[in-house]
Amino acid sequence: MTPGRRSSTFTRLLRHGFTDASAAERLLDSPELAAVRDDPVLLEALGATADPDLALHGLVRLLEAQPGHTARRELLDTLIAAKPLRDRLLGVLGASAALADHLARHPRDWEALVTYEPRDLHPGVAEFERGLAEAADPISLRVAYRRCLLSIAARDVCGTTDVAETAAELADLATATLRAALTLAERAAPADAAACRLAVIAMGKCGGHELNYVSDVDVIFVGEAAEGADEAKALRSATKLASHMMRICSETTVEGSIWPVDANLRPEGRNGPLVRTLSSHLAYYQRWAKTWEFQALLKARPVAGDLDLGAEYIAALEPLVWKAAERENFVADVQKMRRRVVENIPAAEIERELKLGPGGLRDVEFAVQLLQLVHGRADATLRSGTTLDALQALAAGGYVGRADAVQLDDAYRFLRSMEHRIQLYRLRRTHLVPEGEADLRRLGRSLGLRADPVTELTREWKRHSGVVRRLHEKLFYRPLLDAVAQLGPGEARLSPKAARERLEALGYADPAAALRHLEALASGVTRKAAIQRTLLPVLLGWFADSADPDAGLLNFRKVSDALGKTPWYLRLLRDEGAAAENLARVLSAGRLAPDLLMRAPEAVALLGDGDAGGLELRGRAQLEQELLAAVGRAENAEDGVRAARGVRRRELFRTAAADIVDSYGTETKPAEADQGALVDRVGAAVSDLTAATLAGTLRAVVRDGWGDTLPTRFAMIGMGRFGGHELGYGSDADVVFVHEPQEGVDEREAADAANKVVAEMRRLLQVPSADPPLLIDADLRPEGKSGPLVRTLKSYEAYYRRWSLVWESQALLRADPVAGDEELGRRFVELIDPLRYPAEGLGEDAVREIRRLKARMESERLPRGADPKLHTKLGPGGLSDVEWTVQLLQLRHGWAEPGLRTTRTRQALAAAQAAGLLGAEDAAILDEAWVLATRVRNAVMLVRGRAGDTFPTESRELAAVGRYLGYGDGHAGDMLDAYRRTTRRARAVVEELFYGA
């Protein structure tokens, strides 16, 4: 082959989805494919499979296994000429290495895929029995079983059948196989067969007509004596037949096994007799059976042996199944069983568990079965053993919302399809999503995800899993379930006692108060009550996911009382999927956001996706434009600042709500993994909002007192965390004020005007109102509280030239103009740059002075009784440690390293690393500690509604801080340990870099 041709073929193979194009070229050049290697039809068909490399390899093996040239020619001709066969055969070969192995061992079985009559498209038990009819022993039964399985897989991968139909066909094939195995056992022991009646009852997925490709087949055996036979001898004979039937299916032979037959769901499990009489079964279920055993009987179905006896068994036990919901602690027992299943999953596997993990198949099945048992007592339409049929019946009867049912149905079908394709590859019993890139690619392509199979598969899997997790909890924890379950058939009244128990189980500390809130929200016949009855089950689940469900429910009642008659509010919660969940998260995450919302409940509109802008944070320019426009419309300074504070309250709520939602995550969007990004977003948003508020307030005060022009040019310089664009929710606005008289204006007149502006701004921003005050702190000015509040630029220049101390140079590292005259602010920065970035860096005396000041601050300023290791600001490894370390690097090296000339801590830290002033590991340690301490401070403000530098001591508040930081219930201790560990590492870096230890 010429190089040019090889290159062309190589490229075509890659374009058709081959990952190892070199190997594929060699296979296409093999003698077996010589006649068709250039046929574009073959390449197109291979490229349409889940794994083109696997399909081509399987095809070559199948051709090699053909008994001769004529047989190979027949296969190739049929393959090229008949598209249906081509799609089925290559589809199977590209999805299942195990079935490719079967075809290589039995090379004529491909003919089973050639002809599909209409009746073959959806075969039932009778068709499969015909397919197994010639099996005379366990080995030939396995071969015939795989041949039938081949046809099921072909219909599945080609989309002829959907996942539910495939599962039903697999269950029908299992039924036919059990019957064939029992026939073989009876032929081997005709005397035993004559002595007894034996019924095989399918349980689990086989009983529910929803079997996997590879699964244990759960069964229960019922035996009776044949007419005239001794019962004890008959049971022994029935036990022999049952045991032999199980071995025929389960034992490994040269053709492998079929699947294990599991009889452990029988009374007393593996400790009980394998076969019981009907009366013995009935006695056990009447006296001894546990709740889960009745739940298991939902799927019982006679499938083999004496079907009349099987029908008698179902008829006798069915009434007991539908009384199970009247048992004491029924709902709690079902929930406990589900939790136990999850707890037994190895930690390393839980995120990959399709069946048993949170958001997995078992969640759907448990929720559906619970609702069936509760409501199926009075409604026979719910009594189906098939999960999707039962779900459809629950929706039709109004027991599950139709939209919820559709979402659950979609999610269940997708997860079952994943499970089917994972098992089909090797025909091995597994429910774990593979980790290898090639396996995930094959799996994604088999499900029709072709653009970026691995990424698309992961996204769809997590999305559907999230839907299941949310809706499972919505159905599973509905507060009415216990009440309905505890009442007798026919009663429909809510039991307050049972409802309180349910609320307590959901985590409500005051279930009686919660019940009063629910009654107030959901009672009546108004549209408002009807919509809230629809919303409450899912809201309660979201509240229960927080550290304080009581607060969430109480706050929801307050908002609904304020807005319930407003049409857009109910429409927002009902129609915009994100709004209700966002509201639930915000209302139950702490005090700050609900307090901001209650002062103007219409801000709830921000939680949706509509015209209000949602939770997308707004930039400085946009905020300033709105604030200046609001001030411009006001008649006086008081009204203007009142309007500005209202905008600030709304935007603080937007910022807090976005932060909470990003930190908690939602059903459709996981929590933000980058903690630094969360801190940066909040810091920038609150700093921009504060600067815009000051600009608006300045405009209002100047216009009210002096018209368009103040006698002096005036600027505000942000200091501290404000200048660093790192404000938190509870931060004051640290500033210094600078002015410069207008041309021809007396200096005293200019100073008086500037001081009046500052005094009026501070007064108006602190006037008691529904909006939170904004405190202006000017203590970082020259001479501190003893010095003048406002200075001219010349005065600053004179002071800094003669009197400036090293701590003031350090404070000026964070100075940044935030409002007022931009040109004056720029000149102020030019004035201070030589102080904060001194030429040739700091001298040793200045470095020693900074270290001395830091040591004194650590010993003197820590509050009495505070745990130093948990103090976010002054504790070891906390904010002060990191910031002073970074600032010392800026003072020493800022003159030579332009990247260090920033007011932002994280930027300066990154620049110091880039300049080689500290190692990457040390920089990462300091950054992690600073981000964590800042997150804790933000969390404390969000949770308690007031600023704090230490973790709360009250357990619910501590749990809420943990929830914000990503820790689940019961893991507050882990959070504190992680904080101590992170800051301890940071302190070690500080000791080395700052103190020179």
Side-chain angles (χ1 to χ4, degrees), residues 3 268 323 328 402 448 506 526 573 597 653 802 920 935:
E268 300 178 78
K323 289 181 180 178
E328 188 176 358
R402 289 188 182 275
L506 279 166
T526 63
L573 297 185
L597 180 60
F653 172 74
R802 296 187 61 188
R935 288 270 289 157

Side-chain angles (χ1 to χ4, degrees), residues 110 468 624 692 858:
W110 68 270
V468 170
E624 199 164 302
E858 289 178 13

Side-chain angles (χ1 to χ4, degrees), residues 95-99 101 146 149 212-216 257-260 418-432 439:
S96 178
L99 288 176
D101 291 342
R146 290 290 170 92
L149 194 64
N212 303 328
Y213 275 102
V214 186
S215 175
D216 291 357
S257 66
I258 301 176
W259 19 247
M418 282 184 69
E419 182 184 44
H420 277 188
R421 300 301 164 79
I422 291 168
Q423 293 183 349
L424 180 60
Y425 176 50
R426 292 287 187 193
L427 286 182
R428 289 177 183 164
R429 182 174 181 265
T430 179
H431 310 287
L432 292 178
D439 291 327

Side-chain angles (χ1 to χ4, degrees), residues 363-519:
D363 275 351
V364 181
E365 293 157 2
F366 261 64
V368 169
Q369 290 164 20
L370 177 61
L371 288 166
Q372 282 183 281
L373 290 168
V374 170
H375 300 294
R377 292 172 291 168
D379 189 343
T381 64
L382 305 181
R383 300 178 184 181
S384 170
T386 306
T387 301
L388 292 178
D389 290 348
L391 180 59
Q392 187 176 6
L394 285 165
Y399 305 105
V400 174
R402 289 188 182 275
D404 293 344
V406 168
Q407 288 190 66
L408 269 186
D409 185 284
D410 287 346
Y412 189 77
R413 287 174 184 272
F414 183 84
L415 296 174
R416 281 302 300 272
S417 296
M418 282 184 69
E419 182 184 44
H420 277 188
R421 300 301 164 79
I422 291 168
Q423 293 183 349
L424 180 60
Y425 176 50
R426 292 287 187 193
L427 286 182
R428 289 177 183 164
R429 182 174 181 265
T430 179
H431 310 287
L432 292 178
V433 178
E435 295 179 292
E437 181 86 9
D439 291 327
L440 291 170
R441 182 175 184 274
R442 181 191 320 106
L443 180 56
R445 282 175 59 92
S446 76
L447 296 171
L449 308 173
R450 297 299 172 95
D452 185 356
V454 177
T455 302
E456 291 179 72
L457 173 68
T458 303
R459 183 178 63 243
E460 287 300 295
W461 168 34
K462 295 301 182 184
R463 181 176 70 82
H464 285 297
S465 180
V467 166
V468 170
R469 193 179 303 205
R470 174 173 60 83
L471 292 180
H472 158 255
E473 290 174 352
K474 175 180 175 179
L475 303 178
F476 206 60
Y477 294 114
R478 280 172 61 190
L480 301 177
L481 280 180
D482 258 343
V484 176
Q486 297 293 339
L487 298 172
E491 295 187 43
R493 195 174 67 252
L494 176 69
S495 161
K497 178 177 180 293
R500 282 195 298 271
E501 290 173 354
R502 171 52 46 214
L503 288 164
E504 192 169 354
L506 279 166
Y508 288 83
D510 188 351
L515 189 58
R516 288 196 299 273
H517 299 324
L518 285 176
E519 290 168 349

Side-chain angles (χ1 to χ4, degrees), residues 872-887:
T872 59
K873 183 176 181 180
L874 301 176
L879 295 170
S880 176
D881 266 3
V882 177
E883 289 168 3
W884 281 60
T885 300
V886 172
Q887 288 160 13

Side-chain angles (χ1 to χ4, degrees), residues 309-323:
L309 177 58
E312 291 175 39
Y313 171 89
I314 298 298
L317 291 184
E318 192 173 46
L320 301 181
V321 173
W322 300 113
K323 289 181 180 178

Side-chain angles (χ1 to χ4, degrees), residues 748-766:
R748 180 177 294 279
E749 179 189 351
D752 287 345
N755 277 289
K756 287 178 182 177
V757 166
V758 171
E760 186 66 357
M761 286 182 67
R762 297 177 86 173
R763 182 185 74 82
L764 291 174
L765 287 171
Q766 295 180 54

